[in-house]
Amino acid sequence: MTIALTALTIQAQVSNATPVYLDENAPIEQRVEDALSRMTTAEKVKMLHAQSKFSSAGVARLGIPEIWCTDGPHGVRAEVLWDEWNTANWTNDSITAFPALTCLAATWNTDMSAIYGKAIGEEALYRRKTILLGPGVNIYRTPLNGRNFEYMGEDPLLASRMVVPYVQEVQKNGVAACVKHFALNNQEVNRHTTNVHVSDRALYEIYLPAFKAAVQEGGAWSIMGSYNRYNDQFCCHNKRLLVDILRGEWGFDGAVVSDWGGCCDTEEAIKYGLDLEYGSWTNGLSWGLSNAYDSYYLAQPYYNLIKEGKYGTKELDDKCRNILRLIFRTTMAKRQGFGNLCSDEHRATARQVADEGIVLLQNRDNILPINPAKLATDRCKQGDIMTLQYVVPTILVVGENAKKPLTVGGGSSSLKALYEISPLEGIRMRAGKEANVEWVRGYVGTGATQQDGMIVGAELEDHRPAEEVRAEAVEAAKKADIVIFVGGLNKEGHQDCEGVDRLAYELPYGQNEVIEAIAAVNKNIVFVNISGNAVAMPWLDKVPAVLQAWFLGSEAGNAIADVLFGDVNPSGKLPFTIMPALTDYPAHQMGEEVYPGVPSDKRTKEQPELMEEYYREDIFVGYRYADLSPKARKALTGVTCKAQPLFPFGHGISYTTFEYGKATISGNQVSLTITNTGKAAGKEAVQLYVAPKKPSVQRPVKELKAFSKVALQPGDTKTLTFTLTEEMFQYFSEQQHAFVTDKGAYTILIGASSADIRTQVPYTVK
């Protein structure tokens, strides 16, 4: 068979001296069919699977290039060795580290998503990558998920609107965005073995919309399957997800890429939608022939099934079409330019996104922004010092995260940044000679000095007892004019890190005790939480200011200083709800069946670790649950829970104030004015929610359906107009397997967060 195909291919080349597939101006589908007709069966199979850790084969004989993938969603990963995870120690692969995607979502600004996608796409193009493995849009279901920092929060509408510009701008560079992890990959514990049970309604209303938007609006060229199972099939070859929904309902024409090691069965992979198989063994060729790339599920085993006659080449041709289409859209498309790496523009983008994504959660007594001159004056007043000589105030920075490099670690999104401005460096540079900036450790983390083959701060080694480190911080705090505690999580195991979930909702390393002790001796304390997840804050009433700072990348320290000192007015809003305790989240109220899963009765000798997990909270994730009355919560979960959010979804305050005018409606247009009534320029993310009065089925109290970010100078007023569409009033009907418009009376709610509604107007869907 192979000999005959080779002869036919040679004959085709002779008869057509200028192959259409090489003509970048020809229609892509024509190029695909032409190239496909020239390939042998062996060449087609070879294109379906990895040849190294991050590449798969092209067809050298025909001039069809290899595919090169790279992590990750907030920066292009360092080069690794051909067949190892270890870094290759190149000297020219350092990059700009952009803020993690929780920060991008917290900007509530699609313009930020666009400049982010443009910049990271340019860096991937410069590094000659075909596929950028990101962005991630899995839903924030539990605050313990180790990869929440890579995603865009709890709300499907917010994630949908933010993912589209990212995908579009990456792909304008001729680099394919690979939206991940499709689907229901909402935890890291048991991620390879969990079979998710979820209603169709929750699937379509909560967990799929961002993927659908990326495909149908963003035009994503590739999708990554997830590790977990759904409907008893692994998601990397899942009939329901990949065949019925992704290609059948959404019309996806790109390539489906397995997560690394996510392919688990040759015949399912043949039949159920997988195109490119990567990483099926984590140490490749060094383990011998049994684990070589030619033994991947879509490699020699597939070729053997074709030779045996069990399968024809229809499925193979379809997979190759998807891969060729990807190649002709990227490497073999018209030249897109050369991209650029670590440019001034990219540094500016990283800082701008970080500035706009930082969320000011609390600011009692207007302790922020920091004004060194005021601190000096306050010190003089407290000490009855009457002098014309300027007193230099002391700013005490406490916390390991003030120094620890945080672009490294976290798993596949670990980055080799050209530089990283730490919070301590940023604060010191901004304070200059206006204040003495001192640092004490306060708490000691795990002490790791290397991650992913990169040094992450050997100077942070500290073997003192925790009590001694805490006492040092308390003594220093007694003498300081203001204390900035920079803590939170880091990107080590069981924190914000791939492969494992957090073990607790509380801050690690005894941070709560340190914060309580400092607050007892200094009332001017600011907590800067660096994390991609919510944390418990039992000391909240003793700490006047709280800043949610995320993992901010190369410009982290500068951005934090921008906000702390008021050079940038904070305008970020939370992309998820922060509840007081872990048991206030519905996924943690109904036992292990709901999280993290229970052993399956379908376990076999071949699959002894299979787990089952049931999303019994259904559509009531995040604020959708927080909005419920205690009675409705108990009816849902069987547990009495009266807790209100510490900070609700969409919350974030400013150094200025905004007045919302009364909403008016004309036809399907809702309008209102927003006025900056304060003394500083600022931005406000205005949120529109839809609340049904008498729904025909159980529905959330309200749901986010639109948002707009507006910039205003002091005293300025702008009019915002939202267009109401039919989709805003729909729910997914499992009986009809379609989104159905729920007719009747609604209230259009507009506010500054899900819990801070400023104006409302009635509306009827007829």
Side-chain angles (χ1 to χ4, degrees):
M1 180 188 295
T2 303
I3 294 174
L5 284 171
T6 303
L8 286 172
T9 302
I10 294 171
Q11 183 180 6
Q13 284 183 299
V14 171
S15 63
N16 185 358
T18 55
V20 172
Y21 70 88
L22 292 177
D23 181 2
E24 62 186 22
N25 294 307
I28 281 184
E29 295 309 310
Q30 189 177 350
R31 299 178 73 190
V32 167
E33 294 304 323
D34 184 34
L36 189 67
S37 70
R38 300 166 186 273
M39 294 167 59
T40 68
T41 301
E43 287 170 340
K44 292 174 185 177
V45 171
K46 196 170 183 64
M47 290 187 73
L48 306 187
H49 62 87
Q51 62 177 5
S52 75
K53 275 288 173 280
F54 282 96
S55 73
S56 55
V59 184
R61 179 178 65 83
L62 299 176
I64 297 172
E66 301 165 322
I67 287 176
W68 282 89
C69 304
T70 182
D71 290 312
H74 47 271
V76 182
R77 186 175 182 166
E79 299 297 334
V80 300
L81 296 173
W82 180 262
D83 193 48
E84 298 179 27
W85 291 112
N86 294 332
T87 57
N89 293 319
W90 288 17
T91 58
N92 62 347
D93 60 346
S94 297
I95 48 82
T96 306
F98 298 97
L101 295 190
T102 41
C103 176
L104 178 60
T107 68
W108 288 65
N109 188 341
T110 54
D111 290 342
M112 293 298 101
S113 184
I115 65 170
Y116 191 117
K118 178 178 184 293
I120 197 171
E122 288 172 348
E123 299 224 344
L125 177 62
Y126 187 90
R127 292 272 301 279
R128 302 181 69 180
K129 303 304 180 184
T130 317
I131 303 176
L132 176 71
L133 302 174
V137 291
N138 292 99
I139 292 295
Y140 188 108
R141 178 178 178 253
T142 162
L144 299 188
N145 183 5
R147 286 186 98 166
N148 275 337
F149 73 98
E150 293 187 48
Y151 303 142
M152 296 189 182
E154 71 184 33
D155 184 75
L157 185 278
L158 177 62
S160 296
R161 299 281 59 80
M162 296 300 292
V163 72
V164 170
Y166 181 116
V167 169
Q168 291 172 333
E169 292 299 324
V170 165
Q171 294 185 167
K172 286 179 182 177
N173 290 283
V175 174
C178 187
V179 185
K180 61 185 189 181
H181 303 89
F182 190 65
L184 301 166
N185 188 182
N186 305 303
Q187 65 190 58
E188 290 299 286
V189 62
N190 302 326
R191 65 177 180 170
H192 291 277
T193 58
T194 294
N195 184 41
V196 174
H197 299 262
V198 62
S199 72
D200 269 10
R201 186 173 175 198
L203 180 70
Y204 277 84
E205 289 189 17
I206 304 296
Y207 298 103
L208 292 185
F211 289 103
K212 182 179 180 180
V215 169
Q216 294 193 330
E217 299 176 52
W221 293 337
S222 61
I223 291 282
M224 180 186 288
S226 59
Y227 284 127
N228 53 286
R229 295 178 299 142
Y230 164 66
N231 277 1
D232 293 316
Q233 285 185 327
F234 285 97
C235 292
C236 284
H237 32 77
N238 187 290
K239 181 181 184 300
R240 179 86 194 282
L241 291 176
L242 300 179
V243 179
D244 299 343
I245 296 174
L246 181 62
R247 295 205 187 274
E249 296 178 17
W250 298 351
F252 178 66
D253 68 353
V256 174
V257 179
S258 75
D259 204 341
W260 267 234
C263 183
C264 302
D265 183 270
T266 295
E267 293 202 49
E268 285 200 355
I270 292 170
K271 295 184 290 186
Y272 300 139
L274 181 63
D275 300 314
L276 278 164
E277 177 190 0
Y278 285 104
S280 288
W281 291 274
T282 57
N283 200 22
L285 296 169
S286 66
W287 287 355
L289 181 62
S290 65
N291 285 23
Y293 296 104
D294 284 344
S295 294
Y296 274 24
Y297 294 103
L298 286 181
Q300 194 65 39
Y302 187 9
Y303 189 65
N304 291 342
L305 290 174
I306 293 174
K307 288 196 298 182
E308 293 164 9
K310 185 166 185 179
Y311 287 92
T313 58
K314 179 185 182 302
E315 297 91 349
L316 176 61
D317 287 348
D318 285 343
K319 295 176 190 299
C320 284
R321 285 187 178 96
N322 296 331
I323 296 169
L324 288 168
R325 194 176 293 117
L326 174 74
I327 292 171
F328 293 145
R329 285 168 166 167
T330 55
T331 314
M332 292 186 73
K334 286 186 177 181
R335 182 175 293 280
Q336 302 293 324
F338 298 99
N340 64 78
L341 197 68
C342 300
S343 64
D344 290 343
E345 291 80 8
H346 291 180
R347 297 176 185 185
T349 294
R351 186 166 181 173
Q352 187 177 0
V353 173
D355 280 342
E356 198 155 322
I358 291 174
V359 183
L360 180 59
L361 296 175
Q362 179 167 286
N363 192 26
R364 289 200 307 269
D365 304 321
N366 293 321
I367 187 174
L368 294 177
I370 295 170
N371 183 338
K374 184 178 183 301
L375 291 177
T377 302
D378 290 345
R379 176 189 281 195
C380 291
K381 289 179 180 177
Q382 291 171 6
D384 292 324
I385 300 172
M386 300 299 294
T387 176
L388 295 177
Q389 184 176 356
Y390 181 72
V391 178
V392 179
T394 296
I395 297 172
L396 176 66
V397 179
V398 180
E400 182 178 277
N401 275 359
K403 270 192 172 184
K404 183 178 176 66
L406 291 170
T407 57
V408 178
S412 60
S413 64
S414 182
L415 298 173
K416 182 180 177 181
L418 181 64
Y419 71 97
E420 179 180 352
I421 306 297
S422 72
L424 180 60
E425 290 172 320
I427 292 167
R428 279 180 170 158
M429 287 189 290
R430 174 56 181 83
K433 296 180 180 179
E434 295 182 78
N436 294 321
V437 178
E438 300 177 357
W439 176 79
V440 293
R441 187 172 194 126
Y443 68 91
V444 179
T446 60
T449 59
Q450 289 195 359
Q451 282 180 264
D452 303 321
M454 289 177 275
I455 295 174
V456 293
E459 77 278 4
L460 289 176
E461 273 195 90
D462 196 326
H463 302 289
R464 292 177 295 165
E467 296 78 7
E468 181 181 335
V469 178
R470 181 168 65 242
E472 176 190 52
V474 171
E475 287 304 308
K478 291 177 181 178
K479 305 169 188 175
D481 294 287
I482 190 169
V483 178
I484 303 171
F485 188 100
V486 184
L489 308 179
N490 57 37
K491 294 166 82 174
E492 296 177 15
H494 295 296
Q495 298 207 37
D496 281 320
C497 186
E498 179 184 1
V500 289
D501 279 357
R502 296 166 65 192
L503 300 177
Y505 191 46
E506 288 68 34
L507 288 169
Y509 313 130
Q511 291 178 67
N512 285 339
E513 291 83 354
V514 182
I515 294 169
E516 293 269 9
I518 290 174
V521 300
N522 193 320
K523 66 177 183 179
N524 292 334
I525 179 171
V526 179
F527 175 61
V528 179
N529 185 43
I530 296 180
S531 75
N533 261 309
V535 298
M537 302 181 193
W539 33 257
L540 191 60
D541 60 342
K542 302 172 186 175
V543 175
V546 178
L547 209 65
Q548 178 62 44
W550 319 110
F551 296 107
L552 297 176
S554 290
E555 289 288 327
N558 285 334
I560 289 170
D562 286 342
V563 172
L564 288 174
F565 287 86
D567 300 326
V568 168
N569 194 346
S571 65
K573 301 271 190 174
L574 283 176
F576 52 71
T577 304
I578 300 180
M579 298 297 285
L582 184 63
T583 51
D584 297 328
Y585 293 89
H588 296 277
Q589 293 178 349
M590 294 176 278
E592 292 185 351
E593 278 193 342
V594 179
Y595 176 89
V598 293
S600 174
D601 58 7
K602 299 175 183 176
R603 290 186 172 198
T604 63
K605 185 180 293 186
E606 292 75 24
Q607 295 180 311
E609 299 179 348
L610 293 182
M611 306 289 287
E612 306 291 340
E613 186 172 23
Y614 299 83
Y615 285 19
R616 298 201 194 282
E617 76 278 22
D618 204 55
I619 60 173
F620 294 97
V621 176
Y623 70 90
R624 288 167 169 80
Y625 172 80
D627 280 348
L628 294 176
S629 66
K631 182 179 179 181
R633 291 181 184 181
K634 188 169 184 179
L636 175 69
T637 68
V639 175
T640 299
C641 179
K642 298 181 180 180
Q644 295 303 306
L646 283 182
F647 299 106
F649 172 77
H651 171 77
I653 57 179
S654 170
Y655 296 148
T656 191
T657 53
F658 299 97
E659 182 179 284
Y660 286 56
K662 182 176 175 57
T664 60
I665 191 164
S666 176
N668 66 341
Q669 304 286 309
V670 179
S671 299
L672 75 157
T673 58
I674 304 292
T675 303
N676 183 341
T677 54
K679 297 180 180 179
K683 296 179 180 179
E684 175 72 340
V686 180
Q687 303 158 41
L688 183 148
Y689 296 83
V690 167
K693 287 191 174 181
K694 294 182 179 180
S696 61
V697 296
Q698 186 181 30
R699 299 187 67 175
V701 174
K702 63 178 178 292
E703 294 181 277
L704 181 72
K705 294 299 179 182
F707 60 89
S708 180
K709 196 147 190 189
V710 57
L712 293 166
Q713 294 295 318
D716 280 359
T717 297
K718 289 186 179 179
T719 299
L720 291 181
T721 298
F722 296 97
T723 299
L724 302 179
T725 64
E726 185 175 3
E727 290 78 9
M728 293 180 176
F729 305 96
Q730 294 181 331
Y731 68 92
F732 187 81
S733 167
E734 295 185 353
Q735 292 72 30
Q736 300 181 50
H737 192 74
F739 279 92
V740 174
T741 302
D742 202 9
K743 299 176 183 178
Y746 288 81
T747 304
I748 308 302
L749 308 169
I750 300 176
S753 80
S754 63
D756 184 9
I757 302 302
R758 304 290 184 88
T759 182
Q760 60 187 51
V761 62
Y763 184 73
T764 301
V765 178
K766 298 180 180 179

